Amino acid sequence: MVGLSVGEKHFIQGGIAQDLRTDGRRRLTYRPFNVETGVIPQANGSARVRLGGTDVIASVKAELGKPSPSQPDKGKVNIYVDCSPTAAPMFEGRGGEELSTELSGALQHCLLGGKSGAGAGIDLSSLVVVEGKVCWDLYIDGLVVSSDGNLLDALGAAIKAALTNTGIPKVEVAVGASGDGLPEVDISDDEYLQFDTSGVPVIVTLTKVGRHYIVDATLEEESQMSSAVSVSVSGQGRICGLIKRGGAGLDPSVILDMISVAKHVSEQLMNKLDSEISAAEAFEEES
Amino acid sequence: MEFVSPEGLRLDGRRPMEMRQIRGEIGAVAKADGSAFFEMGNTKVIAAVYGPREVENRSQQISDQALVRCEYTMANFSTGDRMRKPKGDRRSTEISLVIRQTMEACILTHLMPRSQIDIFVQVLQADGGTRSACINAATLALADAGIPMRDLVTSCSAGYLNSTPLLDLNYVEDSAGGPDVTVGILPKLDKVTLLQMDAKLPMDIFENVMQLAIEGCKAIANYIREVLLENTKQLEYRRGP
């Protein structure tokens, strides 16, 4: 996929070792990014995030469903990611499926917490309409339109922005319709409930190249990585999820070090993202 | 159902011979050799072109012309009801084929023997006329990639409902079951490269509807030419004196 000569590889590795990367960034600097909300009017919420050459779209669709019997007081959230062949010819046909599955899995780990729903970044109990009977199912779809590295962080940011943009219609439950059947519900057309997304974590991926690690790696830098650790950190500074990718082993002390760095970086990222999202929302309301 | 009100307005407030708002933008995908974003009302598509490059699968190589490939994909969120469709269903395959044939007709393939050109179109939002929007986006992306072409191909659809010919059907009008004529033309050469119709129409009405679609194509061609000129001006400006 990425064809690099020996000289280019040395240049990338040397730059990272000297804290000056090929595009002039330092090791822990993100590329400038841009958030646009409401790009898919048919969805309940959507956002497009452009991070350098990486371009992803996230959309949230809500459907009424039945909560699972084991968790009657919680709604359901599904995350799927699709890699469009426009991003790279290798995603043609079923070629993108492997990466799509990996990304979907990683996002589910980072945003939805465990099976019980504990530690979820999204408050699942706010999705319940009638306990044990009706709840909202959220379908979060990510689409990679253009890929230039660091897809996971970009998708995480896009999902957070899309959830902030999401309006769930207010539901009136008809009184008296009890019993075993599904209660009748009346979906309001003009009243919407907004989500509290302050708890939704951001994902910071630290990519280890040589002896150092960097954030927001480009595709070229990713091709030189030995391993990568993705940490999802909530607004309160809590770690919500952790994934290690890549072949090489990591020293446990390095991992702890990486986590504390990720936590530090996530604060800046969270602030930047929040201001970008509110700017995008304000822009959307204006136009 | 009434698709044209007595005042002569359609469901979305357009006149019968009015097109939806169109918008084209060059350079949607940074890594591609050429790319474009095209919007017809609520239908939004992205096209990316990779190539001309070495043929990946040697057995597909053609010794005297370029191999053109096309893939059409719809995003999960592109339709009103979210659905998880397996990739490569029949409809997508058919549209891929239609787009490939249409674009192949305008690319000067004999200039690039033993090479391959990939066209990928991604539907972000579908509201009728995705075929046309994809072809228009692909034309822009091919031009952006600097691939030699005979002419720009542009496409537009027209239908016939409530005894009125309608230009550029949206999803509601498209699914009404009336005839839907999709036309693709080479505007400078004045030739038709794509013509598809479902349902039946009397000959004389068909002529009118097709003429209307051709007029739509020509309007789109003018717009696409403007977008390309504007883009070239920008590039010239950035290059400096």
Side-chain angles (χ1 to χ4, degrees):
Chain A
M1 41 180 282
V2 188
L4 290 179
S5 67
V6 179
E8 283 172 308
K9 285 178 189 167
H10 275 302
F11 189 68
I12 289 175
Q13 286 165 356
I16 289 169
Q18 291 172 32
D19 202 9
L20 182 65
R21 288 151 70 180
T22 46
D23 46 6
R25 283 185 289 154
R26 306 194 60 178
R27 280 199 287 264
L28 299 181
T29 326
Y30 267 83
R31 287 172 282 185
F33 67 92
N34 162 276
V35 179
E36 206 182 318
T37 52
V39 286
I40 308 290
Q42 283 171 353
N44 293 79
S46 60
R48 180 175 187 175
V49 168
R50 269 173 275 205
L51 180 70
T54 298
D55 189 342
V56 296
I57 297 177
S59 94
V60 180
K61 283 204 173 178
E63 283 169 21
L64 277 179
K66 206 169 187 279
S68 71
S70 56
Q71 290 162 312
D73 59 339
K74 288 197 166 81
K76 286 175 286 188
V77 181
N78 298 291
I79 301 181
Y80 296 103
V81 177
D82 222 354
C83 293
S84 165
T86 56
M90 59 177 266
F91 295 152
E92 193 191 2
R94 298 196 171 273
E97 232 158 62
E98 200 176 325
L99 182 63
S100 305
T101 317
E102 190 186 339
L103 288 172
S104 319
L107 285 167
Q108 273 166 11
H109 276 297
C110 290
L111 301 178
L112 301 185
K115 270 227 171 71
S116 61
I122 305 159
D123 184 13
L124 296 179
S125 44
S126 65
L127 294 172
V128 171
V129 180
V130 182
E131 193 174 316
K133 293 255 168 59
V134 186
C135 70
W136 285 107
D137 290 347
L138 288 191
Y139 290 95
I140 302 178
D141 281 299
L143 180 73
V144 178
V145 176
S146 172
S147 147
D148 190 14
N150 207 17
L151 291 174
L152 199 58
D153 295 18
L155 282 165
I159 289 175
K160 188 174 160 87
L163 282 170
T164 315
N165 181 241
T166 300
I168 302 259
K170 206 171 176 184
V171 178
E172 297 285 337
V173 182
V175 195
S178 55
D180 288 337
L182 280 177
E184 274 185 35
V185 287
D186 180 33
I187 300 171
S188 156
D189 283 333
D190 32 52
E191 273 185 279
Y192 288 94
L193 293 173
Q194 290 276 314
F195 263 123
D196 176 26
T197 51
S198 57
V200 178
V202 288
I203 303 172
V204 175
T205 304
L206 292 169
T207 311
K208 194 157 184 280
V209 180
R211 292 174 53 208
H212 300 274
Y213 40 79
I214 53 173
V215 297
D216 193 19
T218 61
L219 210 55
E220 282 82 19
E221 287 166 336
E222 267 179 9
S223 71
Q224 297 305 307
M225 78 172 193
S226 56
S227 55
V229 174
S230 299
V231 188
S232 81
V233 189
S234 74
Q236 293 84 34
R238 287 203 186 135
I239 312 279
C240 305
L242 189 71
I243 294 156
K244 182 202 163 281
R245 288 173 297 153
L250 276 177
D251 199 72
S253 66
V254 175
I255 294 183
L256 291 177
D257 193 32
M258 281 170 120
I259 292 173
S260 70
V261 169
K263 199 179 145 185
H264 179 68
V265 172
S266 76
E267 280 170 23
Q268 300 161 10
L269 179 65
M270 186 73 104
N271 288 337
K272 182 87 194 342
L273 184 61
D274 282 341
S275 64
E276 282 284 335
I277 291 174
S278 46
E281 293 271 271
F283 180 76
E284 195 197 339
E285 265 164 38
E286 251 174 51
S287 57
Chain B
M1 199 173 154
E2 190 182 60
F3 289 96
V4 184
S5 72
E7 295 84 42
L9 291 176
R10 286 153 75 175
L11 292 171
D12 51 4
R14 283 184 288 161
R15 305 252 168 215
M17 299 200 181
E18 195 178 330
M19 211 153 43
R20 289 176 288 179
Q21 186 135 8
I22 52 174
R23 192 164 75 91
E25 218 175 273
I26 285 176
V29 182
K31 289 261 156 178
D33 294 311
S35 61
F37 174 82
F38 201 85
E39 198 177 295
M40 294 172 89
N42 270 331
T43 300
K44 294 180 185 177
V45 299
I46 286 181
V49 170
Y50 289 84
R53 55 194 181 124
E54 203 179 332
V55 181
E56 264 170 22
N57 187 350
R58 273 293 164 85
S59 60
Q60 289 181 328
Q61 183 172 301
I62 312 169
S63 61
D64 58 347
Q65 56 173 324
L67 169 73
V68 180
R69 296 168 71 215
C70 178
E71 188 170 299
Y72 166 97
T73 38
M74 287 181 85
N76 283 330
F77 49 75
S78 62
T79 46
D81 293 317
R82 184 196 173 281
M83 52 182 140
R84 191 142 179 91
K85 268 194 286 183
K87 269 197 172 177
D89 60 319
R90 286 216 165 190
R91 187 175 168 273
S92 315
T93 318
E94 191 247 303
I95 298 183
S96 306
L97 188 72
V98 168
I99 299 171
R100 202 197 84 204
Q101 286 170 343
T102 314
M103 302 325 288
E104 216 171 11
C106 80
I107 298 172
L108 297 170
T109 47
H110 62 277
L111 293 181
M112 299 159 282
R114 293 168 216 271
S115 53
Q116 155 177 356
I117 299 167
D118 287 300
I119 305 168
F120 298 116
V121 280
Q122 171 78 51
V123 178
L124 299 182
Q125 193 157 239
D127 185 26
T130 49
R131 231 169 276 236
S132 304
C134 286
I135 290 174
N136 296 331
T139 303
L140 267 177
L142 282 170
D144 181 35
I147 288 173
M149 290 193 281
R150 284 190 182 84
D151 195 355
L152 297 168
V153 209
T154 54
S155 168
C156 190
S157 67
Y160 188 75
L161 289 166
N162 296 151
S163 351
T164 322
L166 303 174
L167 185 63
D168 191 18
L169 304 182
N170 66 18
Y171 180 74
V172 184
E173 292 165 339
D174 196 15
S175 42
D180 169 21
V181 183
T182 303
V183 182
I185 62 160
L186 299 170
K188 278 250 163 106
L189 303 174
D190 215 7
K191 280 189 178 153
V192 175
T193 53
L194 164 74
L195 180 59
Q196 284 189 321
M197 185 182 75
D198 41 29
K200 56 187 175 189
L201 262 184
M203 270 300 272
D204 48 336
I205 295 174
F206 171 73
E207 264 182 49
N208 285 338
V209 175
M210 185 171 150
Q211 199 51 46
L212 182 65
I214 290 179
E215 292 302 319
C217 292
K218 287 187 175 156
I220 292 173
N222 286 336
Y223 176 73
I224 285 186
R225 193 155 284 131
E226 261 172 45
V227 172
L228 286 170
L229 268 175
E230 184 56 38
N231 184 56
T232 315
K233 271 185 199 155
Q234 290 241 339
L235 287 176
E236 191 191 6
Y237 176 72
R238 275 185 221 153
R239 195 183 62 177

